[in-house]
Amino acid sequence: MLRPALLLALFPFVVHAEALPAPVKAVEKQGITIIKSFEAPGGMKGWLGKYQDMGVTIYLTPDGKHAISGYMYDEQGKNLSEQVIQQELYAPAGRELWQRMEKAHWLLEGNKDAPRVIYVFADPYCPYCLQFWQQARPWVESGKVQLRTLLVGVIKPESTGAAAAILAAKDPAKSWHDYEQSGGKMALKVPQNPSPALIKTLKDNQAIMDDLGAAATPALYYMNNQNELQQVVGLPDKEQLNMMMGTP
């Protein structure tokens, strides 16, 4: 999954509008941003907050005179606070980032109606991107997975020109497919003066990748069964691949 700190740094929270009890206000003064309240077990009321881009929980004792910052556990040892933070903060933040990728300029590989969607940030000169493309063939060709590739230029100085050449093709998705199928050996017609639209696309893709905190390619993103954003940076191992793709 994405780093929690990254999710909270990027997600635009709406700060609480309700009046805070004095003990919770005192905690807020310690540098915690209060986001929203929630009902907690044991007659307590809870508040979700953010401290140094990490989710925190604060609990008000039933007498309303004391606030406790930390995790709450049940009799089975289950971390109830972590569950609330995940459901109320991290999961919505991940969905917000997913929507940014949906609106980006990506190249479709596979059936557009395939149930599993994976976003891939890829560089034309990235050998691990090529290996992932090859690994994904059984899932893509069976119609179970669609890859949505956002091209970036991060590997070498020529990467940006190669990415622009693919995007400038009459059918960019086919050009990317043919390029990867050739093992990166297909000749590309690099535009001498890329159009402003091409430059914007590459800059936008790079900005999204940077905001997601990925420093290498391939950077892979998908939603798990709980509708939570997951991240794999670099070539996935067999376990990661199966978790991401499902059964071929």
Side-chain angles (χ1 to χ4, degrees):
M1 184 178 170
L2 284 173
R3 290 181 290 112
L6 176 66
L7 289 176
L8 294 196
L10 294 175
F11 191 64
F13 289 110
V14 177
V15 180
H16 66 91
E18 62 186 303
L20 297 177
V24 179
K25 282 185 180 179
V27 174
E28 187 179 36
K29 290 178 181 178
Q30 304 304 311
I32 293 177
T33 301
I34 304 297
I35 297 167
K36 63 185 294 188
S37 63
F38 63 94
E39 294 304 317
M44 291 187 173
K45 186 171 183 179
W47 277 264
L48 285 167
K50 182 176 79 165
Y51 179 71
Q52 295 182 349
D53 291 326
M54 294 293 292
V56 296
T57 47
I58 301 161
Y59 298 95
L60 185 69
T61 56
D63 63 9
K65 296 181 179 180
H66 304 87
I68 304 165
S69 176
Y71 291 140
M72 177 182 286
Y73 295 85
D74 64 13
E75 61 271 23
Q76 281 81 41
K78 184 177 182 180
N79 189 328
L80 303 179
S81 301
E82 207 167 60
Q83 183 178 4
V84 171
I85 292 170
Q86 174 62 36
Q87 292 176 350
E88 298 292 333
L89 298 186
Y90 296 159
R95 289 192 287 272
E96 182 81 8
L97 291 168
W98 183 263
Q99 289 174 6
R100 284 187 63 189
M101 288 186 284
E102 285 184 322
K103 296 173 183 176
H105 186 95
W106 39 264
L107 308 178
L108 177 65
E109 177 84 23
N111 189 331
K112 65 181 179 62
D113 296 318
R116 180 60 64 95
V117 175
I118 298 174
Y119 286 96
V120 185
F121 288 86
D123 184 299
Y125 289 106
C126 170
Y128 296 120
C129 297
L130 174 60
Q131 286 186 52
F132 172 71
W133 186 89
Q134 293 167 339
Q135 285 179 331
R137 291 305 90 201
W139 288 272
V140 172
E141 291 170 3
S142 68
K144 294 181 179 180
V145 170
Q146 55 172 296
L147 302 181
R148 297 179 176 182
T149 300
L150 292 87
L151 291 179
V152 293
V154 296
I155 299 294
K156 52 200 295 191
E158 296 84 0
S159 293
T160 299
I166 292 165
L167 292 174
K170 184 177 180 181
D171 186 340
K174 183 178 184 303
S175 180
W176 173 245
H177 172 90
D178 293 346
Y179 180 78
E180 292 293 82
Q181 192 172 48
S182 75
K185 296 177 182 178
M186 185 180 84
L188 295 173
K189 187 177 180 181
V190 178
Q192 293 297 315
N193 297 297
S195 69
L198 278 181
I199 294 172
K200 183 178 186 305
T201 293
L202 290 170
K203 284 184 176 180
D204 288 348
N205 289 353
Q206 184 67 61
I208 296 171
M209 181 177 166
D210 290 344
D211 285 347
L212 285 162
T217 54
L220 313 168
Y221 298 88
Y222 67 100
M223 286 291 192
N224 65 12
N225 294 332
Q226 289 73 48
N227 201 28
E228 298 166 342
L229 184 62
Q230 306 296 302
Q231 177 191 61
V232 177
V233 176
L235 186 67
D237 58 29
K238 185 176 180 181
E239 182 179 354
Q240 290 173 319
L241 197 65
N242 289 332
M243 190 174 297
M244 187 188 315
M245 303 282 198
T247 55

